[in-house]
Short mmCIF file of all heavy atoms in Angstrom, two decimals:
data_model
loop_
_atom_site.label_atom_id
_atom_site.label_comp_id
_atom_site.label_asym_id
_atom_site.label_seq_id
_atom_site.Cartn_x
_atom_site.Cartn_y
_atom_site.Cartn_z
N LYS A 80 -11.90 8.92 10.18
CA LYS A 80 -10.47 8.90 10.55
C LYS A 80 -9.71 8.81 9.30
O LYS A 80 -9.76 7.79 8.59
CB LYS A 80 -10.29 7.62 11.41
CG LYS A 80 -10.98 7.74 12.75
CD LYS A 80 -10.68 6.51 13.52
CE LYS A 80 -11.41 6.54 14.83
NZ LYS A 80 -11.13 5.44 15.63
N ASN A 81 -8.86 9.78 9.07
CA ASN A 81 -7.90 9.63 8.03
C ASN A 81 -6.58 9.18 8.50
O ASN A 81 -5.85 9.90 9.20
CB ASN A 81 -7.71 11.07 7.34
CG ASN A 81 -8.94 11.51 6.59
OD1 ASN A 81 -9.72 10.68 6.11
ND2 ASN A 81 -9.30 12.73 6.68
N ILE A 82 -6.26 7.91 8.23
CA ILE A 82 -5.05 7.30 8.66
C ILE A 82 -4.03 7.18 7.51
O ILE A 82 -4.46 6.68 6.45
CB ILE A 82 -5.26 5.97 9.30
CG1 ILE A 82 -6.20 6.08 10.53
CG2 ILE A 82 -3.99 5.35 9.69
CD1 ILE A 82 -6.66 4.74 11.13
N VAL A 83 -2.89 7.76 7.58
CA VAL A 83 -1.92 7.68 6.60
C VAL A 83 -0.65 6.97 7.20
O VAL A 83 -0.20 7.34 8.24
CB VAL A 83 -1.46 9.08 6.11
CG1 VAL A 83 -0.36 8.95 5.06
CG2 VAL A 83 -2.66 9.78 5.47
N TRP A 84 -0.19 5.94 6.54
CA TRP A 84 1.07 5.32 7.00
C TRP A 84 1.94 5.13 5.82
O TRP A 84 1.58 5.03 4.68
CB TRP A 84 0.72 3.98 7.72
CG TRP A 84 0.04 2.93 6.85
CD1 TRP A 84 -1.32 2.97 6.71
CD2 TRP A 84 0.56 1.97 6.13
NE1 TRP A 84 -1.68 1.82 5.86
CE2 TRP A 84 -0.52 1.23 5.51
CE3 TRP A 84 1.80 1.55 5.85
CZ2 TRP A 84 -0.24 0.16 4.69
CZ3 TRP A 84 2.06 0.37 5.05
CH2 TRP A 84 1.00 -0.25 4.47
N ASN A 85 3.30 5.06 6.17
CA ASN A 85 4.33 4.86 5.13
C ASN A 85 5.28 3.84 5.65
O ASN A 85 5.59 3.77 6.85
CB ASN A 85 5.11 6.08 4.90
CG ASN A 85 4.21 7.23 4.31
OD1 ASN A 85 3.59 7.02 3.29
ND2 ASN A 85 4.17 8.40 4.98
N ILE A 86 5.85 3.01 4.69
CA ILE A 86 6.92 2.19 5.07
C ILE A 86 8.23 2.90 4.74
O ILE A 86 8.53 3.11 3.60
CB ILE A 86 6.84 0.82 4.27
CG1 ILE A 86 5.53 0.08 4.70
CG2 ILE A 86 8.07 -0.02 4.55
CD1 ILE A 86 5.34 -1.14 3.74
N ASP A 87 8.93 3.29 5.77
CA ASP A 87 10.24 4.10 5.64
C ASP A 87 11.35 3.11 5.46
O ASP A 87 12.27 3.32 4.80
CB ASP A 87 10.44 5.07 6.78
CG ASP A 87 9.39 6.11 6.92
OD1 ASP A 87 8.91 6.48 5.86
OD2 ASP A 87 9.15 6.59 7.94
N LYS A 88 11.31 2.02 6.24
CA LYS A 88 12.47 1.05 6.29
C LYS A 88 12.00 -0.33 6.72
O LYS A 88 11.08 -0.38 7.65
CB LYS A 88 13.50 1.58 7.23
CG LYS A 88 14.66 0.71 7.48
CD LYS A 88 15.61 1.41 8.43
CE LYS A 88 16.88 0.58 8.71
NZ LYS A 88 17.76 1.28 9.61
N PHE A 89 12.49 -1.37 6.07
CA PHE A 89 12.27 -2.67 6.63
C PHE A 89 13.42 -3.55 6.36
O PHE A 89 14.24 -3.29 5.55
CB PHE A 89 10.91 -3.23 6.19
CG PHE A 89 10.87 -3.62 4.70
CD1 PHE A 89 11.11 -4.81 4.19
CD2 PHE A 89 10.63 -2.64 3.72
CE1 PHE A 89 11.18 -5.22 2.82
CE2 PHE A 89 10.62 -2.96 2.37
CZ PHE A 89 10.83 -4.23 1.91
N TRP A 90 13.51 -4.62 7.18
CA TRP A 90 14.67 -5.56 6.99
C TRP A 90 14.23 -6.97 7.20
O TRP A 90 13.14 -7.20 7.88
CB TRP A 90 15.82 -5.17 7.98
CG TRP A 90 15.32 -5.16 9.42
CD1 TRP A 90 15.55 -6.16 10.33
CD2 TRP A 90 14.72 -4.08 10.11
NE1 TRP A 90 14.98 -5.80 11.51
CE2 TRP A 90 14.53 -4.58 11.39
CE3 TRP A 90 14.31 -2.74 9.80
CZ2 TRP A 90 13.93 -3.70 12.32
CZ3 TRP A 90 13.67 -1.98 10.73
CH2 TRP A 90 13.54 -2.46 12.01
N PHE A 91 14.96 -7.94 6.56
CA PHE A 91 14.54 -9.31 6.80
C PHE A 91 15.86 -10.10 6.55
O PHE A 91 16.85 -9.70 5.88
CB PHE A 91 13.44 -9.66 5.79
CG PHE A 91 13.67 -9.28 4.32
CD1 PHE A 91 14.37 -10.20 3.42
CD2 PHE A 91 13.34 -8.04 3.81
CE1 PHE A 91 14.60 -9.87 2.18
CE2 PHE A 91 13.61 -7.70 2.52
CZ PHE A 91 14.16 -8.59 1.69
N ASN A 92 15.79 -11.36 6.97
CA ASN A 92 16.93 -12.31 6.87
C ASN A 92 16.40 -13.64 6.32
O ASN A 92 15.34 -14.09 6.70
CB ASN A 92 17.65 -12.65 8.24
CG ASN A 92 18.37 -11.42 8.74
OD1 ASN A 92 19.10 -10.81 8.05
ND2 ASN A 92 18.10 -11.10 10.03
N ASN A 93 17.14 -14.19 5.39
CA ASN A 93 16.85 -15.62 4.90
C ASN A 93 15.45 -15.65 4.43
O ASN A 93 14.73 -16.61 4.74
CB ASN A 93 17.26 -16.53 5.91
CG ASN A 93 18.63 -16.61 6.30
OD1 ASN A 93 19.48 -16.51 5.40
ND2 ASN A 93 18.97 -16.62 7.56
N PHE A 94 14.93 -14.73 3.62
CA PHE A 94 13.60 -14.75 3.07
C PHE A 94 13.67 -15.17 1.61
O PHE A 94 14.25 -14.45 0.88
CB PHE A 94 12.88 -13.48 3.32
CG PHE A 94 11.45 -13.47 2.97
CD1 PHE A 94 10.47 -14.07 3.89
CD2 PHE A 94 11.01 -12.98 1.71
CE1 PHE A 94 9.13 -14.06 3.46
CE2 PHE A 94 9.63 -13.01 1.46
CZ PHE A 94 8.72 -13.53 2.30
N LYS A 95 13.16 -16.35 1.33
CA LYS A 95 13.19 -16.81 -0.09
C LYS A 95 14.65 -16.90 -0.53
O LYS A 95 15.46 -17.43 0.02
CB LYS A 95 12.26 -16.04 -0.96
CG LYS A 95 10.78 -16.25 -0.54
CD LYS A 95 9.80 -15.75 -1.57
CE LYS A 95 8.45 -16.13 -1.21
NZ LYS A 95 7.48 -15.78 -2.32
N SER A 96 14.88 -16.15 -1.70
CA SER A 96 16.23 -16.27 -2.24
C SER A 96 17.21 -15.24 -1.73
O SER A 96 18.39 -15.25 -2.02
CB SER A 96 16.17 -16.08 -3.79
OG SER A 96 15.57 -14.74 -4.06
N TYR A 97 16.74 -14.39 -0.74
CA TYR A 97 17.72 -13.39 -0.17
C TYR A 97 18.33 -14.02 1.10
O TYR A 97 17.77 -14.79 1.81
CB TYR A 97 16.89 -12.15 0.29
CG TYR A 97 16.42 -11.29 -0.83
CD1 TYR A 97 15.22 -11.54 -1.55
CD2 TYR A 97 17.15 -10.30 -1.28
CE1 TYR A 97 14.77 -10.75 -2.58
CE2 TYR A 97 16.79 -9.44 -2.40
CZ TYR A 97 15.56 -9.74 -2.96
OH TYR A 97 15.16 -8.92 -4.07
N GLY A 98 19.54 -13.69 1.28
CA GLY A 98 20.36 -14.17 2.45
C GLY A 98 20.15 -13.25 3.73
O GLY A 98 19.07 -12.71 3.91
N ASP A 99 21.22 -13.08 4.45
CA ASP A 99 21.17 -12.27 5.63
C ASP A 99 21.20 -10.77 5.38
O ASP A 99 21.69 -10.34 4.39
CB ASP A 99 22.33 -12.68 6.56
CG ASP A 99 22.25 -14.11 7.07
OD1 ASP A 99 21.18 -14.58 7.34
OD2 ASP A 99 23.33 -14.64 7.46
N ASP A 100 20.80 -10.08 6.39
CA ASP A 100 20.96 -8.67 6.55
C ASP A 100 20.49 -7.86 5.36
O ASP A 100 21.28 -7.06 4.69
CB ASP A 100 22.37 -8.29 6.76
CG ASP A 100 22.89 -8.95 8.08
OD1 ASP A 100 22.11 -9.07 9.01
OD2 ASP A 100 24.06 -9.39 8.13
N ASN A 101 19.21 -7.99 5.00
CA ASN A 101 18.68 -7.18 3.84
C ASN A 101 17.92 -6.06 4.44
O ASN A 101 16.96 -6.27 5.22
CB ASN A 101 17.67 -8.06 3.03
CG ASN A 101 18.41 -9.24 2.48
OD1 ASN A 101 19.14 -9.17 1.45
ND2 ASN A 101 18.26 -10.41 3.06
N ILE A 102 18.27 -4.83 4.11
CA ILE A 102 17.70 -3.66 4.53
C ILE A 102 17.18 -2.81 3.39
O ILE A 102 17.92 -2.53 2.42
CB ILE A 102 18.57 -2.79 5.42
CG1 ILE A 102 19.05 -3.64 6.63
CG2 ILE A 102 17.95 -1.46 5.84
CD1 ILE A 102 20.20 -2.95 7.39
N ILE A 103 15.95 -2.41 3.34
CA ILE A 103 15.43 -1.63 2.25
C ILE A 103 14.93 -0.22 2.97
O ILE A 103 14.10 -0.34 3.87
CB ILE A 103 14.29 -2.28 1.52
CG1 ILE A 103 14.82 -3.47 0.84
CG2 ILE A 103 13.69 -1.30 0.52
CD1 ILE A 103 13.86 -4.28 0.10
N GLU A 104 15.43 0.88 2.48
CA GLU A 104 15.13 2.16 3.11
C GLU A 104 14.37 3.08 2.08
O GLU A 104 14.97 3.22 1.03
CB GLU A 104 16.34 2.83 3.63
CG GLU A 104 17.03 2.09 4.81
CD GLU A 104 18.12 2.97 5.39
OE1 GLU A 104 17.84 4.06 5.86
OE2 GLU A 104 19.24 2.35 5.41
N TRP A 105 13.28 3.54 2.42
CA TRP A 105 12.47 4.44 1.55
C TRP A 105 12.22 5.75 2.23
O TRP A 105 11.37 6.54 1.78
CB TRP A 105 11.19 3.82 1.12
CG TRP A 105 11.34 2.73 0.09
CD1 TRP A 105 12.27 2.57 -0.91
CD2 TRP A 105 10.57 1.51 -0.03
NE1 TRP A 105 12.07 1.48 -1.56
CE2 TRP A 105 11.05 0.82 -1.04
CE3 TRP A 105 9.52 1.04 0.71
CZ2 TRP A 105 10.53 -0.45 -1.54
CZ3 TRP A 105 8.96 -0.14 0.31
CH2 TRP A 105 9.46 -0.90 -0.73
N ASP A 106 12.89 5.98 3.36
CA ASP A 106 12.58 7.23 4.21
C ASP A 106 12.86 8.53 3.52
O ASP A 106 12.33 9.51 3.86
CB ASP A 106 13.25 7.07 5.54
CG ASP A 106 14.74 6.95 5.48
OD1 ASP A 106 15.29 6.62 4.40
OD2 ASP A 106 15.38 7.01 6.55
N ASP A 107 13.71 8.56 2.53
CA ASP A 107 14.10 9.85 1.91
C ASP A 107 13.37 9.95 0.49
O ASP A 107 13.77 10.86 -0.22
CB ASP A 107 15.51 9.92 1.80
CG ASP A 107 16.20 8.90 0.86
OD1 ASP A 107 15.59 7.86 0.60
OD2 ASP A 107 17.29 9.06 0.42
N ILE A 108 12.37 9.09 0.19
CA ILE A 108 11.71 9.17 -1.00
C ILE A 108 10.35 9.66 -0.79
O ILE A 108 9.54 9.23 0.01
CB ILE A 108 11.65 7.80 -1.73
CG1 ILE A 108 13.09 7.34 -2.07
CG2 ILE A 108 10.79 7.79 -2.96
CD1 ILE A 108 13.16 5.87 -2.48
N ASN A 109 9.91 10.69 -1.58
CA ASN A 109 8.56 11.20 -1.54
C ASN A 109 7.69 10.72 -2.83
O ASN A 109 8.26 10.73 -3.88
CB ASN A 109 8.54 12.75 -1.52
CG ASN A 109 9.18 13.31 -0.21
OD1 ASN A 109 8.90 12.70 0.83
ND2 ASN A 109 10.03 14.22 -0.31
N GLY A 110 6.56 10.40 -2.68
CA GLY A 110 5.74 10.02 -3.80
C GLY A 110 5.56 8.55 -4.02
O GLY A 110 5.73 7.77 -3.11
N VAL A 111 5.45 8.12 -5.29
CA VAL A 111 5.24 6.75 -5.56
C VAL A 111 6.57 6.00 -5.77
O VAL A 111 7.57 6.51 -6.36
CB VAL A 111 4.44 6.64 -6.92
CG1 VAL A 111 4.25 5.24 -7.40
CG2 VAL A 111 3.06 7.36 -6.81
N ILE A 112 6.61 4.75 -5.31
CA ILE A 112 7.79 3.96 -5.52
C ILE A 112 7.61 2.86 -6.54
O ILE A 112 6.58 2.24 -6.44
CB ILE A 112 8.15 3.28 -4.08
CG1 ILE A 112 8.58 4.40 -3.01
CG2 ILE A 112 9.37 2.34 -4.26
CD1 ILE A 112 8.72 3.93 -1.72
N GLN A 113 8.48 2.78 -7.40
CA GLN A 113 8.39 1.74 -8.47
C GLN A 113 9.50 0.69 -8.19
O GLN A 113 10.70 1.06 -8.03
CB GLN A 113 8.54 2.27 -9.84
CG GLN A 113 8.67 1.24 -10.96
CD GLN A 113 8.82 1.88 -12.26
OE1 GLN A 113 8.69 3.09 -12.52
NE2 GLN A 113 9.23 1.11 -13.27
N ILE A 114 9.04 -0.60 -8.20
CA ILE A 114 10.08 -1.66 -8.04
C ILE A 114 10.12 -2.24 -9.39
O ILE A 114 9.18 -2.84 -9.91
CB ILE A 114 9.51 -2.69 -6.96
CG1 ILE A 114 9.41 -2.03 -5.59
CG2 ILE A 114 10.56 -3.92 -6.93
CD1 ILE A 114 8.81 -2.95 -4.63
N SER A 115 11.23 -2.10 -10.10
CA SER A 115 11.45 -2.71 -11.46
C SER A 115 12.74 -3.30 -11.57
O SER A 115 13.64 -3.20 -10.82
CB SER A 115 11.28 -1.46 -12.48
OG SER A 115 12.41 -0.60 -12.22
N GLY A 116 12.78 -4.22 -12.67
CA GLY A 116 13.97 -4.88 -12.96
C GLY A 116 13.63 -6.03 -13.93
O GLY A 116 12.43 -6.26 -14.27
N ILE A 117 14.71 -6.70 -14.40
CA ILE A 117 14.41 -7.79 -15.31
C ILE A 117 13.89 -9.03 -14.57
O ILE A 117 13.88 -9.04 -13.33
CB ILE A 117 15.74 -8.15 -16.05
CG1 ILE A 117 16.88 -8.62 -15.11
CG2 ILE A 117 16.25 -6.96 -16.89
CD1 ILE A 117 18.08 -9.12 -15.77
N ASN A 118 13.44 -10.00 -15.43
CA ASN A 118 12.70 -11.15 -14.72
C ASN A 118 13.69 -11.95 -13.84
O ASN A 118 14.91 -11.97 -14.10
CB ASN A 118 12.25 -12.17 -15.93
CG ASN A 118 11.08 -11.58 -16.60
OD1 ASN A 118 10.46 -10.60 -16.14
ND2 ASN A 118 10.86 -12.01 -17.79
N GLN A 119 13.11 -12.45 -12.74
CA GLN A 119 13.85 -13.36 -11.82
C GLN A 119 14.90 -12.56 -10.99
O GLN A 119 15.92 -13.16 -10.63
CB GLN A 119 14.51 -14.57 -12.65
CG GLN A 119 13.55 -15.35 -13.37
CD GLN A 119 12.61 -16.13 -12.45
OE1 GLN A 119 12.95 -16.69 -11.43
NE2 GLN A 119 11.29 -16.22 -12.82
N GLN A 120 14.65 -11.30 -10.70
CA GLN A 120 15.66 -10.49 -9.92
C GLN A 120 15.07 -10.25 -8.51
O GLN A 120 15.78 -9.50 -7.77
CB GLN A 120 15.97 -9.28 -10.69
CG GLN A 120 16.78 -9.54 -12.05
CD GLN A 120 18.05 -10.26 -11.67
OE1 GLN A 120 18.88 -9.83 -10.93
NE2 GLN A 120 18.16 -11.45 -12.38
N GLY A 121 13.81 -10.70 -8.13
CA GLY A 121 13.41 -10.58 -6.72
C GLY A 121 12.47 -9.48 -6.52
O GLY A 121 12.10 -9.23 -5.33
N LYS A 122 11.76 -8.98 -7.52
CA LYS A 122 10.77 -7.91 -7.37
C LYS A 122 9.52 -8.40 -6.51
O LYS A 122 9.20 -7.81 -5.47
CB LYS A 122 10.30 -7.41 -8.66
CG LYS A 122 11.34 -6.70 -9.47
CD LYS A 122 10.90 -6.24 -10.85
CE LYS A 122 10.30 -7.38 -11.67
NZ LYS A 122 11.29 -8.40 -12.18
N THR A 123 9.01 -9.64 -6.89
CA THR A 123 7.89 -10.18 -6.22
C THR A 123 8.35 -10.59 -4.70
O THR A 123 7.52 -10.40 -3.75
CB THR A 123 7.41 -11.43 -6.93
OG1 THR A 123 7.01 -11.00 -8.23
CG2 THR A 123 6.21 -11.99 -6.19
N THR A 124 9.52 -10.98 -4.53
CA THR A 124 10.04 -11.27 -3.18
C THR A 124 10.05 -10.07 -2.29
O THR A 124 9.72 -10.25 -1.13
CB THR A 124 11.41 -11.90 -3.25
OG1 THR A 124 11.43 -13.09 -4.09
CG2 THR A 124 11.89 -12.37 -1.90
N ILE A 125 10.31 -8.95 -2.78
CA ILE A 125 10.26 -7.73 -1.90
C ILE A 125 8.78 -7.49 -1.53
O ILE A 125 8.57 -7.23 -0.33
CB ILE A 125 10.83 -6.52 -2.76
CG1 ILE A 125 12.35 -6.71 -2.86
CG2 ILE A 125 10.51 -5.19 -2.01
CD1 ILE A 125 13.01 -5.71 -3.81
N ILE A 126 7.89 -7.61 -2.44
CA ILE A 126 6.47 -7.41 -2.12
C ILE A 126 6.02 -8.55 -1.15
O ILE A 126 5.31 -8.26 -0.14
CB ILE A 126 5.56 -7.47 -3.30
CG1 ILE A 126 5.94 -6.32 -4.37
CG2 ILE A 126 4.06 -7.39 -2.99
CD1 ILE A 126 5.85 -4.93 -3.74
N ASP A 127 6.47 -9.80 -1.38
CA ASP A 127 6.21 -10.88 -0.43
C ASP A 127 6.71 -10.58 0.96
O ASP A 127 6.05 -10.86 1.99
CB ASP A 127 6.69 -12.24 -0.96
CG ASP A 127 5.84 -12.86 -1.97
OD1 ASP A 127 4.68 -12.37 -2.21
OD2 ASP A 127 6.25 -13.82 -2.66
N ALA A 128 7.88 -10.09 1.13
CA ALA A 128 8.51 -9.66 2.35
C ALA A 128 7.61 -8.65 3.04
O ALA A 128 7.34 -8.80 4.29
CB ALA A 128 9.90 -9.19 2.20
N ILE A 129 7.17 -7.63 2.41
CA ILE A 129 6.35 -6.68 2.96
C ILE A 129 5.02 -7.27 3.45
O ILE A 129 4.56 -6.94 4.57
CB ILE A 129 5.99 -5.48 1.97
CG1 ILE A 129 7.34 -4.69 1.64
CG2 ILE A 129 4.95 -4.55 2.54
CD1 ILE A 129 7.20 -3.73 0.58
N CYS A 130 4.32 -8.07 2.65
CA CYS A 130 3.14 -8.79 3.03
C CYS A 130 3.29 -9.67 4.30
O CYS A 130 2.47 -9.76 5.21
CB CYS A 130 2.58 -9.55 1.92
SG CYS A 130 1.88 -8.62 0.57
N PHE A 131 4.48 -10.34 4.28
CA PHE A 131 4.79 -11.28 5.40
C PHE A 131 4.97 -10.42 6.73
O PHE A 131 4.54 -10.89 7.76
CB PHE A 131 6.05 -12.09 5.12
CG PHE A 131 6.21 -13.19 6.19
CD1 PHE A 131 5.49 -14.29 6.17
CD2 PHE A 131 7.09 -13.02 7.15
CE1 PHE A 131 5.69 -15.34 7.09
CE2 PHE A 131 7.34 -13.98 8.13
CZ PHE A 131 6.57 -15.18 8.07
N ILE A 132 5.70 -9.31 6.57
CA ILE A 132 5.87 -8.42 7.73
C ILE A 132 4.51 -7.96 8.29
O ILE A 132 4.34 -7.94 9.45
CB ILE A 132 6.84 -7.24 7.38
CG1 ILE A 132 8.23 -7.79 7.22
CG2 ILE A 132 6.77 -6.20 8.56
CD1 ILE A 132 9.15 -6.88 6.51
N LEU A 133 3.62 -7.57 7.40
CA LEU A 133 2.36 -6.89 7.83
C LEU A 133 1.27 -7.98 8.18
O LEU A 133 0.62 -7.74 9.15
CB LEU A 133 1.78 -6.07 6.76
CG LEU A 133 2.57 -4.78 6.33
CD1 LEU A 133 1.93 -4.14 5.12
CD2 LEU A 133 2.68 -3.90 7.47
N TYR A 134 1.25 -9.09 7.49
CA TYR A 134 0.11 -10.01 7.69
C TYR A 134 0.58 -11.36 8.15
O TYR A 134 -0.30 -12.28 8.40
CB TYR A 134 -0.61 -10.14 6.37
CG TYR A 134 -1.12 -8.81 5.92
CD1 TYR A 134 -0.56 -8.20 4.70
CD2 TYR A 134 -2.06 -8.00 6.58
CE1 TYR A 134 -0.97 -6.98 4.30
CE2 TYR A 134 -2.49 -6.81 6.11
CZ TYR A 134 -1.96 -6.26 5.01
OH TYR A 134 -2.36 -5.04 4.53
N GLY A 135 1.86 -11.76 8.14
CA GLY A 135 2.28 -13.05 8.51
C GLY A 135 2.12 -14.21 7.48
O GLY A 135 2.33 -15.25 7.73
N THR A 136 1.76 -13.74 6.28
CA THR A 136 1.65 -14.68 5.16
C THR A 136 1.91 -13.93 3.90
O THR A 136 1.98 -12.70 3.86
CB THR A 136 0.22 -15.31 5.11
OG1 THR A 136 0.24 -16.34 4.17
CG2 THR A 136 -0.88 -14.35 4.89
N THR A 137 2.06 -14.66 2.77
CA THR A 137 2.30 -14.01 1.47
C THR A 137 1.26 -14.56 0.43
O THR A 137 0.64 -15.67 0.72
CB THR A 137 3.73 -14.33 0.96
OG1 THR A 137 3.85 -15.63 0.65
CG2 THR A 137 4.74 -13.80 2.03
N ILE A 138 1.16 -13.96 -0.65
CA ILE A 138 0.36 -14.50 -1.76
C ILE A 138 0.82 -15.86 -2.21
O ILE A 138 0.11 -16.78 -2.39
CB ILE A 138 0.22 -13.47 -2.91
CG1 ILE A 138 -0.55 -12.23 -2.46
CG2 ILE A 138 -0.38 -14.15 -4.10
CD1 ILE A 138 -0.51 -11.18 -3.47
N SER A 139 2.19 -15.96 -2.26
CA SER A 139 2.81 -17.29 -2.72
C SER A 139 2.52 -18.34 -1.69
O SER A 139 2.07 -19.47 -2.11
CB SER A 139 4.32 -17.04 -2.82
OG SER A 139 4.61 -16.06 -3.64
N THR A 140 2.58 -18.11 -0.41
CA THR A 140 2.34 -19.19 0.62
C THR A 140 0.84 -19.52 0.66
O THR A 140 0.45 -20.61 0.89
CB THR A 140 2.83 -18.86 1.97
OG1 THR A 140 2.22 -17.57 2.38
CG2 THR A 140 4.31 -18.74 2.04
N THR A 141 0.01 -18.50 0.54
CA THR A 141 -1.41 -18.69 0.48
C THR A 141 -1.82 -19.52 -0.70
O THR A 141 -2.60 -20.51 -0.58
CB THR A 141 -2.16 -17.38 0.43
OG1 THR A 141 -1.84 -16.63 1.53
CG2 THR A 141 -3.71 -17.54 0.39
N LYS A 142 -1.28 -19.28 -1.89
CA LYS A 142 -1.55 -20.19 -3.05
C LYS A 142 -1.08 -21.54 -2.89
O LYS A 142 -1.73 -22.51 -3.20
CB LYS A 142 -1.01 -19.52 -4.31
CG LYS A 142 -1.66 -18.27 -4.82
CD LYS A 142 -1.05 -17.83 -6.15
CE LYS A 142 -1.74 -16.52 -6.67
NZ LYS A 142 -1.02 -16.05 -7.79
N SER A 143 0.17 -21.78 -2.32
CA SER A 143 0.69 -23.06 -2.27
C SER A 143 0.08 -23.94 -1.22
O SER A 143 -0.01 -25.12 -1.25
CB SER A 143 2.19 -22.96 -1.88
OG SER A 143 2.38 -22.49 -0.67
N MET A 144 -0.64 -23.30 -0.26
CA MET A 144 -1.37 -23.98 0.74
C MET A 144 -2.74 -24.26 0.36
O MET A 144 -3.56 -24.90 1.06
CB MET A 144 -1.30 -23.21 2.16
CG MET A 144 0.10 -23.14 2.71
SD MET A 144 0.12 -22.06 4.14
CE MET A 144 -1.03 -22.86 5.29
N GLY A 145 -3.25 -23.64 -0.81
CA GLY A 145 -4.57 -23.79 -1.30
C GLY A 145 -5.60 -23.09 -0.55
O GLY A 145 -6.76 -23.39 -0.56
N LEU A 146 -5.18 -22.01 0.15
CA LEU A 146 -6.11 -21.13 0.86
C LEU A 146 -6.68 -20.08 0.00
O LEU A 146 -6.00 -19.61 -0.94
CB LEU A 146 -5.44 -20.54 2.08
CG LEU A 146 -4.76 -21.53 3.08
CD1 LEU A 146 -3.99 -20.66 4.08
CD2 LEU A 146 -5.80 -22.25 3.74
N LYS A 147 -7.83 -19.65 0.35
CA LYS A 147 -8.47 -18.53 -0.35
C LYS A 147 -8.28 -17.28 0.40
O LYS A 147 -8.28 -17.16 1.63
CB LYS A 147 -9.94 -18.75 -0.55
CG LYS A 147 -10.24 -19.91 -1.52
CD LYS A 147 -11.66 -20.08 -1.78
CE LYS A 147 -11.86 -21.21 -2.74
NZ LYS A 147 -13.13 -21.12 -3.43
N ARG A 148 -8.08 -16.10 -0.34
CA ARG A 148 -7.86 -14.83 0.33
C ARG A 148 -9.22 -14.25 0.82
O ARG A 148 -10.22 -14.50 0.37
CB ARG A 148 -7.25 -13.88 -0.62
CG ARG A 148 -5.86 -14.24 -0.99
CD ARG A 148 -5.24 -13.25 -1.89
NE ARG A 148 -5.19 -13.81 -3.23
CZ ARG A 148 -5.00 -13.03 -4.33
NH1 ARG A 148 -4.88 -11.79 -4.26
NH2 ARG A 148 -4.98 -13.57 -5.47
#
């Protein structure tokens, strides 16, 4: 089974340092997506939001709870 999936759009509210009504759309982008920026601008938070949406937990919360992956 060759399963291919893409995240075209996701949204979240009040997640970590982000406030209300955050929408990220990648539906018009083909290929690899790079999340870049200077330190402390929320790059990891975007990845954490995706992990939380998919798995109900993040690497940050797993580490803080002392759980192993």
Side-chain angles (χ1 to χ4, degrees):
K80 295 181 182 181
N81 293 327
I82 299 172
V83 177
W84 59 274
N85 296 307
I86 299 174
D87 293 330
K88 177 179 179 179
F89 67 97
W90 58 94
F91 53 93
N92 291 314
N93 299 316
F94 188 78
K95 296 194 174 187
S96 60
Y97 288 88
D99 290 333
D100 301 323
N101 300 286
I102 300 171
I103 298 178
E104 295 185 60
W105 289 324
D106 56 345
D107 61 345
I108 298 174
N109 294 317
V111 176
I112 297 171
Q113 175 181 342
I114 300 172
S115 64
I117 60 174
N118 290 341
Q119 302 295 317
Q120 295 299 306
K122 298 177 298 293
T123 301
T124 302
I125 292 171
I126 301 301
D127 279 348
I129 294 170
C130 290
F131 190 79
I132 290 166
L133 294 174
Y134 306 111
T136 189
T137 68
I138 293 172
S139 302
T140 56
T141 301
K142 285 181 181 177
S143 68
M144 294 173 61
L146 302 174
K147 294 188 178 199
R148 294 183 255 162

